[in-house]
Amino acid sequence: MKLAAEKNLWSVAFCCISTGEFHFPNQRAAEIAVSTVKKFLATHELKIVFNVFKELDEKIYRELL
């Protein structure tokens, strides 16, 4: 996100990294992602898109956001 802001990009998309093949817990991954993004957006203007593949992930992200 920092690099995107430095390069004057207006959006960044993130997928659910490591929650599939590497079995990182979906809930915890989303909590980390949303928390990190919220902290960044407190001082930067950038559109963030969370790209999810499973209904479970969509539900988790909707609850957190």
Side-chain angles (χ1 to χ4, degrees):
M1 291 180 293
K2 182 179 176 184
L3 182 59
E6 289 173 0
K7 298 293 183 182
N8 295 317
L9 300 178
W10 62 273
S11 67
V12 176
F14 294 107
C15 61
C16 298
I17 299 170
S18 297
T19 59
E21 185 67 28
F22 295 105
H23 306 288
F24 193 85
N26 298 58
Q27 180 73 36
R28 186 66 188 125
E31 290 168 355
I32 293 168
V34 169
S35 172
T36 302
V37 165
K38 284 183 176 181
K39 287 177 188 172
F40 185 82
L41 292 179
T43 58
H44 297 81
E45 188 172 332
L46 189 64
K47 179 179 179 179
I48 304 296
V49 176
F50 292 107
N51 181 22
V52 297
F53 299 102
K54 299 177 184 177
E55 287 182 29
L56 169 65
D57 292 318
E58 180 182 8
K59 180 179 182 288
I60 292 169
Y61 276 89
R62 286 189 184 277
E63 289 173 359
L64 292 171
L65 295 168

